């Protein structure tokens, strides 16, 4: 990549990330509502576990799941569906005639999305710790941060892969995202240890980066957590591998789907 | 009535014309699974001895049917105004906006109920759920449940009419809170005493308990067990009447104010 191209990529990334970070802060109700929504979901599962009479360590698992859920939702609705929404609002054609690469828009969207979601996730985590008196081990905090960042890299890579599909498809892809959102969230072990899924379902769930990422985080932050899927080191390696694979697929898919969408005149096709 | 039926038809088209009919039927059957998948896994792994699976499963699926109505009503304001940019034309038509919202949501409710029926056909035999339906209570409960959810949905729609940047996350948060308190997933007796008492007065609680009893033919836990099924029906009817009346007044007020403030055709692209 030439210096000029790299500069353009970085400028585009910065511009898109800026809008995502600061635009989302302008309306206080958005932040409050998303934090409250995450908190209520977490509360539901904490009390459910209390009803079931499981150990207190399950509250810690649920709080960590609640911390990761906003990222999962941001990947699905803020990255994967974004090109679809840009198309519906009429911005996509402007983006495509500009010299800025489409991939830079999406990477910027991911970086900005991850940063603004971080604030909400930290708020959910804070409330979870404060209200449910959950304690985490901080001995491995730097390693946990590394696992978290690799998980985000992998998750947002998957989001960019799906954004290509959304670029070509319309309401059918949106409906599909709506359909798979809850089952995917459940299968990734957000609110229970993923090992209980059994080998078959776990094999599918492992393709969702949140599954192994959460399992590794639980091993590092919840000392009494014993029902792990794999050792966290292996999970970190798999997540890094998944992230790279998703990045490669995303780069290829974006080019080929953009070409196909141009050829089939679907880039400006709205409300379909 | 003509306007209501036309709105139901519009709702059906919005819900189904994005794909082939047979794909949509599969979608209709698969969609509710997300609402109860966690219940099956969690109660299957950790809660087999508690015997609460039927309680949680019936509770979750009937809450899901209500959530479809109020989410659809609130979201359709945003969808019609921002996305399809048709809200101004709906206001220009001879059908009142309340009728339009009710018609669209009625379709969504019927679709949700159809999905529930399809899934109960396999859930009942596979999970050995108690199923001794009282059809009278089920039908009356389903109708009144629609009015409860529509009342809340109309109230939310009025808020959305008067705000142009409000995100649907607000609806998620509000009804997420009600989901916790309504005792859909677990008996609210698990809460501290104050919240357990509040849970009895959440509008969805009596509806969900009524439908549980009407479907299973049993009183599954001590939650609201002091009330007979007919008393529950009476309470749901009272909630439905109050909420629908309040929702109707609010959405009429919201419609007038939104027209006055010029919020009908504002697009923000947020």
């Amino acid at each position: 990549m030439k210096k000029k191209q790299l500069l353009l990529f970085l400028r585009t990334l910065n511009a898109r990330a800026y809008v995502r970070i600061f635009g989302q802060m302008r309306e206080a109700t958005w932040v409050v509502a998303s934090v409250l929504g995450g908190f209520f979901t977490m509360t539901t599962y904490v009390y459910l576990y209390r009803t079931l009479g499981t150990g207190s360590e399950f509250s810690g698992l649920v709080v960590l799941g609640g911390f990761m859920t906003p990222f999962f939702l941001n990947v699905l609705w803020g990255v994967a569906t974004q090109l679809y929404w840009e198309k519906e609002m009429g911005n996509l054609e402007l983006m495509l005639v500009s010299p800025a690469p489409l991939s830079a828009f999406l990477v910027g969207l991911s970086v900005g999305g991850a940063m603004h979601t971080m604030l909400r996730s930290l708020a959910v985590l804070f409330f979870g710790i404060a209200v449910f008196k959950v304690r985490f081990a901080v001995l491995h905090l730097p390693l946990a941060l590394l696992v978290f960042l690799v998980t985000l890299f992998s998750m947002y890579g998957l989001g960019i892969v799906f954004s290509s599909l959304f670029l070509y498809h319309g309401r059918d892809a949106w409906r599909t995202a709506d359909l798979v959102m809850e089952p995917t969230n459940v299968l990734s072990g957000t609110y229970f240890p993923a090992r209980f899924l059994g080998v078959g379902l776990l094999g599918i769930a492992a393709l969702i980066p949140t599954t192994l990422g959460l399992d590794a985080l639980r091993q590092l932050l919840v000392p009494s957590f014993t029902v792990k899927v794999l050792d966290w080191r292996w999970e970190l390696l798999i997540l890094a591998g998944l992230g790279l694979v998703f990045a490669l697929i995303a780069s290829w898919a974006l080019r080929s789907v953009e070409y196909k969408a141009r050829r089939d005149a679907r880039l400006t096709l709205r409300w379909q | 009535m003509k306007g209501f039926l036309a709105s139901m038809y519009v709702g059906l088209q919005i819900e189904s014309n994005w794909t082939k009919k047979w794909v949509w039927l599969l979608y209709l059957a698969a969609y509710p699974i997300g609402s109860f998948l966690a219940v099956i896994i969690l109660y299957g792994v950790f809660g087999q001895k508690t015997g609460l699976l039927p309680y949680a499963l019936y509770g979750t699926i009937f809450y899901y049917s209500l959530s479809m109505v109020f989410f659809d009503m609130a979201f359709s304001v945003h969808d019609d105004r921002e996305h399809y940019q048709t809200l101004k034309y709906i206001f220009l038509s001879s059908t009142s906006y309340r009728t339009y919202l009710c018609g669209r949501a009625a379709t969504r409710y019927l679709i949700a109920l159809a999905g529930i029926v399809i899934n109960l056909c396999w859930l009942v035999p596979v999970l050995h759920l108690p199923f001794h339906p009282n059809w009278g209570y089920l039908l009356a409960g389903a109708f009144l449940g629609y009015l409860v959810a529509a009342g809340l949905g109309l109230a939310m729609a009025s808020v959305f009419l008067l705000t142009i940047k409000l995100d649907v996350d607000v609806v998620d948060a509000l009804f997420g809170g009600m989901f916790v308190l309504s005792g859909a997933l677990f008996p609210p007796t698990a809460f501290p005493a104050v919240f357990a008492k509040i849970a009895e007065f959440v509008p969805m609680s009596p509806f969900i308990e009524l439908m549980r009893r009407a479907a299973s033919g049993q009183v599954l836990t001590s939650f609201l067990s002091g009330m007979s099924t007919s008393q529950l029906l009476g309470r749901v009817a009272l909630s439905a009447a109050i909420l629908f009346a309040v929702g109707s007044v609010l959405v009429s007020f919201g419609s007038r104010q939104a027209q006055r403030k010029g919020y009908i055709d504002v697009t923000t692209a947020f």
Side-chain angles (χ1 to χ4, degrees), chain A residues 137 140-151 213 216-217 220-221 232:
Chain A
H140 304 299
L141 199 57
L143 287 172
L145 274 174
L146 176 69
V147 169
F148 171 67
L149 290 174
V150 174
T151 307
L217 284 175
L220 291 165
L221 296 173
W232 68 267

Side-chain angles (χ1 to χ4, degrees), chain A residues 51-269:
Chain A
T51 306
L52 297 176
T54 55
S56 59
E57 74 271 18
F58 277 83
S59 297
L61 307 189
V62 169
V63 171
L64 273 180
F67 171 71
M68 287 301 284
T69 302
F71 290 105
F72 168 76
L73 294 177
N74 183 250
V75 166
L76 188 64
W77 296 113
V79 178
T81 58
Q82 191 62 32
L83 290 182
Y84 166 72
W85 286 118
E86 300 287 7
K87 184 167 70 172
E88 293 292 300
M89 288 188 290
N91 292 337
L92 187 66
E93 54 213 78
L94 301 174
M95 286 160 67
L96 288 169
V97 294
S98 82
L102 199 55
S103 53
F105 277 107
L106 287 167
V107 176
L109 199 68
S110 302
V111 171
M115 286 172 79
H116 91 77
T117 307
M118 179 68 78
L119 175 76
R120 296 161 193 222
S121 282
L122 284 174
V124 172
L125 185 68
F126 169 77
F127 283 119
I129 291 171
V131 175
F132 301 115
K133 309 279 185 283
V134 172
R135 295 284 173 269
F136 293 114
V138 291
L139 188 66
H140 304 299
L141 199 57
L143 287 172
L145 274 174
L146 176 69
V147 169
F148 171 67
L149 290 174
V150 174
T151 307
L152 284 194
F153 166 63
S154 193
M155 280 171 77
Y156 281 93
L158 184 62
I160 296 176
V161 171
F162 279 111
S163 69
S164 316
L165 287 177
F166 279 80
L167 176 64
Y168 187 73
H169 295 279
R171 282 197 299 152
D172 43 352
W174 189 87
R175 293 280 176 177
T176 310
D178 198 24
L179 176 72
V180 300
M181 178 181 72
E182 206 49 46
T184 312
N185 202 18
V186 171
L187 285 180
S188 60
T190 308
Y191 296 109
F192 58 88
R195 204 170 100 178
F196 289 117
L197 287 172
V199 179
L201 275 180
L202 191 56
I204 299 165
L207 292 173
I208 312 160
T210 332
T211 312
L212 296 180
L214 259 176
D215 197 71
L217 284 175
R218 283 165 177 163
Q219 287 178 50
L220 291 165
L221 296 173
V222 184
S224 54
F225 179 74
T226 51
V227 278
K228 60 186 179 186
V229 176
L230 292 168
D231 184 75
W232 68 267
R233 293 170 191 85
W234 283 110
E235 289 174 337
L236 182 63
L237 270 176
I238 294 170
L239 282 169
L242 276 177
L244 283 174
V245 171
F246 290 146
L248 288 172
I249 295 175
S251 168
W252 167 81
L254 211 54
R255 274 198 308 275
S256 47
V257 173
E258 187 188 330
Y259 168 75
K260 199 168 153 54
R262 278 178 197 269
R263 190 193 61 193
D264 299 346
R266 294 185 72 95
L267 287 175
T268 52
L269 191 66

Side-chain angles (χ1 to χ4, degrees), chain B residues 190-209:
Chain B
F191 288 132
V194 180
F195 290 107
K197 198 68 193 166
I198 292 171
E200 291 181 17
F201 296 95
V202 171
M204 287 82 160
S205 303
F207 163 76
I208 292 169
E209 183 57 26

Side-chain angles (χ1 to χ4, degrees), chain B residues 20 37 44 73 77 116 126 129 138 147 158 162 191 206 225:
Chain B
K20 297 178 182 75
L37 186 62
M73 278 191 166
V77 176
I116 289 173
V126 171
L129 297 176
L138 267 178
L147 293 180
S158 69
L162 294 174
F191 288 132
S225 61

Side-chain angles (χ1 to χ4, degrees), chain B residues 152-169:
Chain B
L152 290 165
L154 288 171
M156 275 315 295
S158 69
V159 176
F160 271 79
L161 279 170
L162 294 174
T163 50
I164 49 174
K165 287 185 180 172
L166 201 64
D167 196 1
V168 282
D169 277 355

Side-chain angles (χ1 to χ4, degrees), chain A residues 175-184 186-187, chain B residues 18 21-38 40 61 64 68 108 111-120 122-123:
Chain A
R175 293 280 176 177
T176 310
D178 198 24
L179 176 72
V180 300
M181 178 181 72
E182 206 49 46
T184 312
V186 171
L187 285 180
Chain B
W18 51 274
K21 291 288 174 259
W22 67 270
V23 177
W24 182 69
L25 285 173
L26 282 178
Y27 178 85
L28 183 148
Y31 194 82
I33 294 174
S35 68
F36 60 76
L37 186 62
I40 294 177
I61 58 177
Y64 155 81
M68 289 297 104
R108 196 73 188 86
I111 289 171
L113 289 181
I116 289 173
V117 170
I118 292 168
N119 280 284
L120 280 179
W122 69 269
L123 284 169

